[in-house]
Amino acid sequence: MRSRPARGVRTVLDEFHSFCHPERSEGSAPFWQHAMTSPLSSLARAAIGALPRYQTDDGFRIDLSDNTNLWGPPPAALRLMQAAPAQLLSRYPTTYSDALSAPLLRYCGIGQQPGLDVVVGCGSDDILDSTMRAFGAPGDSIAYSTPTFTMIPVYAQLNGLSLSPIPFADDFDVDAERLVDCRAKITYLCAPNNPTGTRASRAAVEYVVSNAQGIVLMDEAYAEFASETFVDLLSRNERLVIARTFSKAFGLAGLRIGYGLGARDTIEPIARARGPYKVTALAEQAAAAALSETDDGVEWVQRHAREAVAVREWLTGALRALGLTVLPSDANFVLVLTSNATHLAHELRKHGVLVRLLRGLPSQPRALAECGGSALRIGVGPWETMQALLSALEEVLSCG
Ligand SMILES: *Cc1c(COP(=O)(O)O)cnc(C)c1O
């Protein structure tokens, strides 16, 4: 017999599924009915057996669906990989990648501030997951603005947390008061936010950081493309953790490495919850190379982040000129709000262009209701790819 997850869990997971994979939820049975089929799997915890496997599409000529660095990795990291000594593969990595702490604090501009520390993880997903586990006991709650990073409800479920999603305000700023009123053990902020690309105002972030009851987990996966970062708040508030990644601006998504910043006493339990040997030796070394203050290391990263920002602004204008509604973005992708999203995504696929189709978005803020909760998230990349996207889109739009 299949075991079915409890009703509350099921609803959230169904929503999660249609949010991530609208094309798969069309006309088919809810995914949780497929989730556990063998008798043995009924032994799995309900919340685990009910979780979908995360699925993505690949093999597209132009893949603008995952916000990675379409210019590739920094040459310094690539060289390191190509010349890796055998020992880097045959021996265990360091237990906690401590050698990256000082370079990371320096890179984030907080090398001089006493009392701060770093935890490195298998992608920043690992930091988000470990932070939830370190501070949230099963049954505790996590509050966050919605729509946000799809992994948040997933890791929250895996850690037995209950979900308190709060809509963004109409201008897509964080509704700071409502978030704080949740009195959650963990409050998650994503700035710039995925999938909207929108920024959070400093006033809202400061209000949450000063007034939230528990830990504030701030996700700065797109900091390199943003007009501001909130790392300066770390020295003032020990309950703030900032998660960052090498998967986006640093072009190392395939290596799975990210990090968390915070006060030493806040970081320590996250490292313990994470466990040893989570980061491969190659990832640690490549990250160190990418952080080297050279023209083909961190300067390459910064140069390409600036280029992504320039392309983003140009792309936003070009899409608006086609009559589309585009949210102002502070990241390396843009969100197009359109009730025609499903059709456009399918037609773009025929042209070999993959964008992220989102459906079933919440009906607040108002702009999301106006587009029927459907949108396209489009990653920013080199000019040639943007031109290919635009000409495909023009063709699709002109065919009605
Ligand atoms: C892409 C992304 C991450 C990065 O995840 P990794 O595990 O580091 O690859 C984290 N948060 C958000 C909001 C993202 O969009």
Side-chain angles (χ1 to χ4, degrees):
M1 216 192 85
R2 278 174 202 144
S3 83
R4 303 163 97 217
R7 188 172 182 76
V9 174
R10 217 161 69 217
T11 309
V12 165
L13 292 175
D14 282 345
E15 276 166 14
F16 167 70
H17 182 65
S18 62
F19 178 44
C20 301
H21 302 295
E23 64 288 350
R24 290 194 182 85
S25 50
E26 246 169 316
S28 63
F31 75 94
W32 51 264
Q33 292 188 2
H34 308 291
M36 306 215 305
T37 46
S38 92
L40 253 190
S41 58
S42 65
L43 292 175
R45 284 169 53 192
I48 304 278
L51 278 171
R53 286 211 196 199
Y54 191 77
Q55 282 168 313
T56 54
D57 301 288
D58 42 36
F60 279 79
R61 185 169 58 92
I62 297 179
D63 184 347
L64 309 175
S65 71
D66 64 5
N67 305 341
T68 50
N69 190 336
L70 300 177
W71 284 270
L78 192 58
R79 256 202 328 278
L80 182 285
M81 296 288 292
Q82 286 163 341
Q87 202 173 285
L88 218 52
L89 279 68
S90 60
R91 303 301 305 263
Y92 278 99
T94 65
T95 45
Y96 291 99
S97 312
D98 288 337
L100 288 177
S101 296
L104 281 171
L105 289 169
R106 196 171 335 118
Y107 166 69
C108 293
I110 45 179
Q112 305 303 319
Q113 293 180 22
L116 297 183
D117 206 353
V118 180
V119 53
V120 182
C122 175
S124 61
D125 279 7
D126 191 20
I127 302 301
L128 302 172
D129 179 37
S130 303
T131 304
M132 291 185 201
R133 193 157 53 250
F135 296 102
D140 283 342
S141 66
I142 179 166
Y144 53 93
S145 301
T146 180
T148 197
F149 189 36
T150 51
M151 288 298 152
I152 293 308
V154 172
Y155 287 119
Q157 303 275 343
L158 283 173
N159 289 295
L161 302 182
S162 70
L163 309 177
S164 300
I166 301 294
F168 282 101
D170 272 337
D171 60 358
F172 285 90
D173 199 358
V174 167
D175 191 336
E177 286 189 25
R178 279 189 71 190
L179 275 181
V180 166
D181 286 347
C182 290
R183 305 183 69 76
K185 191 70 190 288
I186 299 169
T187 305
Y188 171 83
L189 299 174
C190 187
N193 183 55
N194 179 8
T196 57
T198 46
R199 50 194 298 278
S201 70
R202 184 158 276 266
V205 172
E206 288 194 356
Y207 183 87
V208 173
V209 170
S210 314
N211 295 291
Q213 203 183 24
I215 289 289
V216 177
L217 175 54
M218 173 106 194
D219 189 335
E220 287 197 344
Y222 301 98
E224 283 82 1
F225 313 103
S227 45
E228 71 178 329
T229 153
F230 296 99
V231 287
D232 58 291
L233 300 180
L234 286 169
S235 61
R236 280 197 270 144
N237 200 305
E238 298 210 319
R239 289 191 289 182
L240 177 62
V241 175
I242 295 188
R244 290 217 184 166
T245 183
F246 282 89
S247 296
K248 305 291 158 61
F250 275 87
L252 298 176
L255 284 178
R256 311 302 302 125
I257 180 163
Y259 54 100
L261 307 163
R264 191 164 296 133
D265 292 346
T266 314
I267 292 301
E268 179 59 27
I270 302 173
R272 288 175 194 236
R274 190 210 74 161
Y277 301 125
K278 283 294 192 68
V279 175
T280 68
L282 274 174
E284 182 186 328
Q285 295 286 322
L291 286 168
S292 61
E293 287 161 6
T294 58
D295 186 59
D296 58 0
V298 80
E299 288 165 23
W300 184 98
V301 172
Q302 287 162 336
R303 207 160 55 240
H304 286 81
R306 280 195 299 275
E307 188 166 347
V309 168
V311 174
R312 174 189 80 204
E313 294 307 304
W314 173 83
L315 178 65
T316 301
L319 292 169
R320 285 179 180 158
L322 291 175
L324 296 165
T325 302
V326 187
L327 290 182
S329 171
D330 224 19
N332 67 338
F333 58 86
V334 297
L335 193 71
V336 177
L337 303 180
T338 166
S339 54
N340 206 18
T342 307
H343 171 73
L344 292 180
H346 283 142
E347 292 301 310
L348 284 174
R349 277 167 171 263
K350 292 185 194 158
H351 287 76
V353 179
L354 185 66
V355 298
R356 181 62 61 92
L357 170 63
L358 301 166
R359 285 195 338 177
L361 295 169
S363 56
Q364 283 176 64
R366 202 177 310 132
L368 296 184
E370 282 163 6
C371 63
S374 66
L376 301 175
R377 197 191 63 195
I378 305 175
V380 158
W383 292 105
E384 316 84 74
T385 57
M386 297 294 96
Q387 257 132 21
L389 160 79
L390 276 181
S391 58
L393 199 52
E394 272 169 47
E395 217 173 293
V396 169
L397 286 169
S398 70
C399 293

